[in-house]
Amino acid sequence: SDFNSGSFTAEMSVNVASRLDVTGGIDWNGMKKPSEDRNEEELLPNGSRVPIQQVTELEQMNLFASAKFLVLPRGRRVSSLAWIPNTFVPYVGAGAGYGKYTLRQNGDFVDFVDNHIFTDTFRSEGWSPIFHVLGGTDIQVLRHLVLSFEARYSWQHADLDTDFVDFDPIDLGGLRFGGGIHFSF
């Protein structure tokens, strides 16, 4: 939960069949979280003891493509010149992509070989594949303006660089909830 953050997404969707859309997009998110270890303390030159403090930063940029199947049609044609849109259009879908991450930890650390405290910055960055499933609904509020609410679960893991010795791969996936505005053309 320390990696929870907001994100910004831009996407474009193309209707390829009456109830099937193909969507491509990019999203960015990041977080910065201070922490401290009260079990290990640093002895300052003035004789006082302070907790070991660190700041962890995680930034992600994901490129993705999805296929969305509309559970209900967007509307119905009542004549060759008239069409009545549905107000609510739920959908489900799945997709994949590739994401870049940057993880930084800056602060005080304990060398567990001799227990001395040192200050450093550890960094890991790279690219890894993403797979996701999604579900949501579009709500038409004006002729060309649609509100969208979506839940998306993604799977994304990456190996950490050599700064992070003996660490498991980082889990970059998880559950996301989003809301947005779509303009239809």
Side-chain angles (χ1 to χ4, degrees):
S1 67
D2 286 344
F3 291 138
N4 288 346
S5 70
S7 67
F8 175 79
T9 303
E11 64 182 29
M12 184 173 167
S13 183
V14 176
N15 182 244
V16 294
S18 65
R19 292 170 72 172
L20 181 65
D21 290 352
V22 174
T23 301
I26 182 170
D27 70 30
W28 299 272
N29 65 64
M31 57 70 60
K32 184 176 184 177
K33 182 82 173 180
S35 62
E36 62 182 36
D37 184 351
R38 294 183 181 145
N39 294 328
E40 299 287 336
E41 293 181 332
E42 181 177 11
L43 179 61
L44 298 177
N46 67 5
S48 63
R49 295 186 171 276
V50 294
I52 294 172
Q53 298 178 340
Q54 300 170 352
V55 175
T56 302
E57 296 176 71
L58 178 65
E59 297 172 358
Q60 289 180 270
M61 179 195 67
N62 299 313
L63 304 168
F64 61 88
S66 303
K68 292 181 181 179
F69 174 75
L70 307 180
V71 177
L72 298 174
R74 283 190 174 86
R76 61 185 168 89
R77 183 176 304 278
V78 292
S79 73
S80 62
L81 300 175
W83 186 74
I84 300 173
N86 283 334
T87 304
F88 294 93
V89 181
Y91 60 85
V92 294
Y98 222 56
K100 182 181 190 306
Y101 79 96
T102 302
L103 174 67
R104 284 184 296 277
Q105 283 189 310
N106 181 28
D108 296 328
F109 298 90
V110 177
D111 184 338
F112 291 108
V113 173
D114 60 7
N115 285 332
H116 83 276
I117 297 169
F118 62 97
T119 301
D120 205 343
T121 299
F122 295 120
R123 182 181 177 102
S124 181
E125 63 183 354
W127 290 82
S128 64
I130 306 165
F131 302 97
H132 63 262
V133 293
L134 55 95
T137 189
D138 290 336
I139 304 167
Q140 185 167 8
V141 292
L142 296 173
R143 183 175 179 183
H144 295 288
L145 181 67
V146 175
L147 296 179
S148 182
F149 297 97
E150 182 176 287
R152 179 182 301 221
Y153 191 87
S154 62
W155 294 269
Q156 181 183 17
H157 294 83
D159 291 327
L160 293 170
D161 290 343
T162 57
D163 280 357
F164 295 89
V165 177
D166 294 331
F167 278 76
D168 290 333
I170 186 170
D171 183 358
L172 299 166
L175 183 62
R176 294 182 182 194
F177 295 102
I181 298 172
H182 295 254
F183 300 99
S184 61
F185 301 98

